[in-house]
Amino acid sequence: MVRRLWSDGVLLAVLIACVWWPLATGGAPGGASKARVDLRSPKYLHYKQEYRRNLLSNGLGVTPPMGWNSWNHFACAVNETIIRETADAMVSTGLSKLGYEYVNIDDCWAEIARDYNGNLVAKNTTFPSGIKALADYVHGKGLKLGIYSDAGYFTCSKTMPGSLRREEQDAKTFASWGIDYLKYDNCNNDGTKPTVRYPIMTRALMKAGRPIFFSLCEWGDLHPALWGAKLGNSWRTTNDISDTWDSIMSRADLNEPYAELARPGGWNDPDMLEIGNGGMMKHEYVVHFSIWAISKAPLLLGCDIRNLDKDTAEIISNKEVIAVNQDSLGIQAKKVRSEGDQEVWAGPLTGYRVAVLLVNRGTYRYTVIAHWDDIGLPLDTVVEARDIWEHKTLKNTFVRNITATVDAHSCKMYILKPVS
Ligand SMILES: *[C@@H]1O[C@H](CO)[C@@H](O)[C@H](O)[C@H]1NC(C)=O
Ligand SMILES: *[C@@H]1O[C@H](CO)[C@@H](O)[C@H](O)[C@H]1NC(C)=O
Ligand SMILES: *[C@@H]1O[C@H](CO)[C@@H](O)[C@H](O)[C@H]1NC(C)=O
């Protein structure tokens, strides 16, 4: 008995070393380690699964995060007044009740110089009350505060320092301020791979002791979907989005091939939402929100929610579309068929339901058809279809396919539910 315990202990230590060592020494996670035990043996399955989990084990991001970020609308013009008023608006508009909870400050919030102890300092002209006071304010509204740093010497704006070589110190600072979310960018680094620099912040956050949602933002350079779940709660799969149809559709396409790798606790991130920023038509923003929702992407609003227009409020407040994003199965939809400009996106939901999105990317009206064998339903399954933009359950039931006429740059989104 004693001997068995001893040998299990040694095996566990070897396993930990095999998984931990490449991370601790900055090697690619899961890379060159030569395990001396057969990890496929059922005996070790338990340990294997234990260590395959998110290294952070922070319990966050069980469903995709929802909230707001300052960058898409304010860029470097962000300040504490805007953050406070945004937190106020999150509650007064009813968005917080729908699940939007993070209020995230992006780049440009700090002084270029650290203090004499090497700590980051909030910019005295734009954040005169400091970040701790802001976190208290945001928490007082029942919301969470996010912040931004960079795995380099300076952030992308070059107006403030990054956290490279200061990871532990900065993680402690963020935790002491009450920060709940960290977006970690990739500018002005030392030329080493993200798989070298990002794990250092992951461990720093673990040590800092406060659960902080960790958003990896290395722009998809090194296929972070392949290693991001060990290190963080979401990973950007693309370069920055902009407020145009081509930008949102190309980000959607770049994000889609990684669908299998998204899961509760770790999500593909095709960047933040542009809905409400004025560059697109309402029906295009509807497509934007629909694809992000069905793709289990973070729903981080990027407009000025203090001044919501009616169309924007309607789109981002669609409870049924939000429910697709937040469904507890956590399975990212895929583009299951595309013919020219007509696309079918589909993914399973809890309760044997399927979310289906018919997209017309073209400039003419088209008929788009979703076949059961494309969306994963047995051919003879009879379903009821709910149109979740019209908020109507269709009168007829459907078998074998569902078809709709879809306007240019528009979509139809359904939840199909088998009827007995
Ligand atoms: C803000 O900080 C800068 C140095 O980073 C300093 O020169 C300036 O006096 C400070 N301003 C105020 C209002 O404290
Ligand atoms: C923040 O920006 C707004 C609009 O640009 C301005 O009215 C406000 O005074 C600024 N607040 C601070 C603290 O800089
Ligand atoms: C769609 O399904 C119906 C039966 O529900 C069938 O009659 C029709 O031929 C199908 N359309 C296509 C294009 O497969």
Side-chain angles (χ1 to χ4, degrees):
M1 191 55 192
V2 170
R3 235 170 59 199
R4 261 210 65 202
L5 280 175
W6 180 84
S7 72
D8 279 0
V10 169
L11 287 167
L12 178 58
V14 169
L15 257 164
I16 291 172
C18 290
V19 176
W20 188 264
W21 183 251
L23 293 171
T25 55
S33 65
K34 288 204 174 56
R36 266 170 256 155
V37 290
D38 180 6
L39 295 173
R40 283 161 304 187
S41 146
K43 190 173 169 192
Y44 306 118
L45 203 61
H46 167 71
Y47 300 136
K48 189 172 140 187
Q49 280 171 351
E50 193 79 3
Y51 288 94
R52 193 162 63 185
R53 283 200 327 229
N54 191 330
L55 179 59
L56 271 170
S57 284
N58 60 11
L60 301 176
V62 173
T63 59
M66 294 177 64
W68 174 91
N69 172 291
S70 57
W71 187 258
N72 285 357
H73 193 84
F74 296 98
C76 270
V78 64
N79 67 40
E80 66 175 45
T81 315
I82 292 168
I83 298 297
R84 279 174 206 263
E85 291 178 359
T86 296
D88 295 346
M90 200 72 113
V91 176
S92 65
T93 54
L95 289 170
S96 60
K97 281 218 176 76
L98 297 170
Y100 295 95
E101 58 175 347
Y102 290 104
V103 176
N104 294 350
I105 311 167
D106 208 282
D107 203 349
C108 309
W109 61 268
E111 292 289 345
I112 187 77
R114 291 170 179 266
D115 70 10
Y116 52 87
N117 291 319
N119 293 316
L120 290 166
V121 187
K123 204 168 157 81
N124 60 11
T125 52
T126 51
F127 289 86
S129 314
I131 305 298
K132 174 82 172 72
L134 204 49
D136 291 345
Y137 185 83
V138 169
H139 292 157
K141 299 252 146 189
L143 303 170
K144 294 177 172 170
L145 186 69
I147 211 159
Y148 165 99
S149 187
D150 186 287
Y153 298 113
F154 294 96
T155 62
C156 298
S157 70
K158 296 194 186 165
T159 64
M160 58 172 278
S163 294
L164 188 62
R165 314 251 150 100
R166 296 278 194 169
E167 291 87 353
E168 283 200 16
Q169 183 169 9
D170 290 354
K172 271 192 201 132
T173 300
F174 298 148
S176 76
W177 286 343
I179 291 295
D180 303 296
Y181 185 116
L182 173 65
K183 173 178 171 183
Y184 203 46
D185 221 331
N186 195 28
C187 287
N188 304 305
N189 63 61
D190 60 2
T192 60
K193 290 181 178 176
T195 45
V196 173
R197 288 171 285 114
Y198 281 74
I200 304 172
M201 184 52 94
T202 302
R203 286 194 303 277
L205 290 171
M206 287 172 72
K207 279 194 184 173
R210 181 182 173 85
I212 295 179
F213 186 106
F214 191 27
S215 155
L216 315 177
C217 181
E218 59 82 271
W219 321 311
D221 274 8
L222 214 61
H223 302 291
L226 301 177
W227 45 268
K230 292 189 181 98
L231 304 181
N233 302 105
S234 68
W235 45 86
R236 277 276 297 279
T237 51
T238 72
N239 264 311
D240 282 9
I241 200 167
S242 60
D243 190 11
T244 67
W245 173 254
D246 285 346
S247 177
I248 59 157
M249 294 312 284
S250 59
R251 251 107 292 253
D253 288 342
L254 289 165
N255 188 64
E256 191 269 345
Y258 302 110
E260 303 280 3
L261 296 157
R263 82 292 295 267
W267 307 102
N268 290 312
D269 176 6
D271 207 0
M272 303 168 298
L273 299 164
E274 290 282 10
I275 301 153
N277 280 332
M280 280 179 267
M281 308 287 284
K282 180 181 181 186
H283 51 270
E284 296 174 321
Y285 283 137
V286 166
V287 174
H288 183 14
F289 199 63
S290 301
I291 294 183
W292 263 240
I294 205 169
S295 302
K296 305 292 189 273
L299 296 182
L300 295 174
L301 304 169
C303 63
D304 183 359
I305 63 167
R306 303 170 306 171
N307 300 298
L308 281 180
D309 59 71
K310 195 168 151 284
D311 287 348
T312 305
E314 184 194 323
I315 296 167
I316 66 180
S317 304
N318 187 325
K319 281 185 191 173
E320 295 189 83
V321 176
I322 292 171
V324 168
N325 180 258
Q326 297 291 304
D327 184 79
S328 62
L329 261 193
I331 297 177
Q332 179 176 332
K334 289 191 193 177
K335 195 190 296 192
V336 295
R337 182 178 277 261
S338 72
E339 284 175 55
D341 289 325
Q342 306 153 52
E343 295 181 350
V344 180
W345 295 62
L349 299 173
T350 47
Y352 304 102
R353 296 169 307 148
V354 182
V356 177
L357 183 65
L358 309 180
V359 183
N360 176 5
R361 294 171 79 136
T363 46
Y364 301 97
R365 175 182 290 193
Y366 278 118
T367 298
V368 186
I369 177 163
H371 296 276
W372 274 201
D373 50 359
D374 287 333
I375 64 179
L377 283 174
L379 278 190
D380 55 358
T381 311
V382 180
V383 304
E384 168 189 290
R386 182 156 175 89
D387 182 326
I388 59 175
W389 281 108
E390 297 293 329
H391 304 293
K392 269 189 208 133
T393 303
L394 305 189
K395 265 200 225 101
N396 299 328
T397 55
F398 296 84
V399 65
R400 295 175 60 183
N401 59 65
I402 184 167
T403 305
T405 305
V406 186
D407 288 333
H409 290 194
S410 301
C411 66
K412 283 281 187 184
M413 194 168 184
Y414 301 108
I415 292 177
L416 307 183
K417 192 171 140 196
V419 290
S420 40

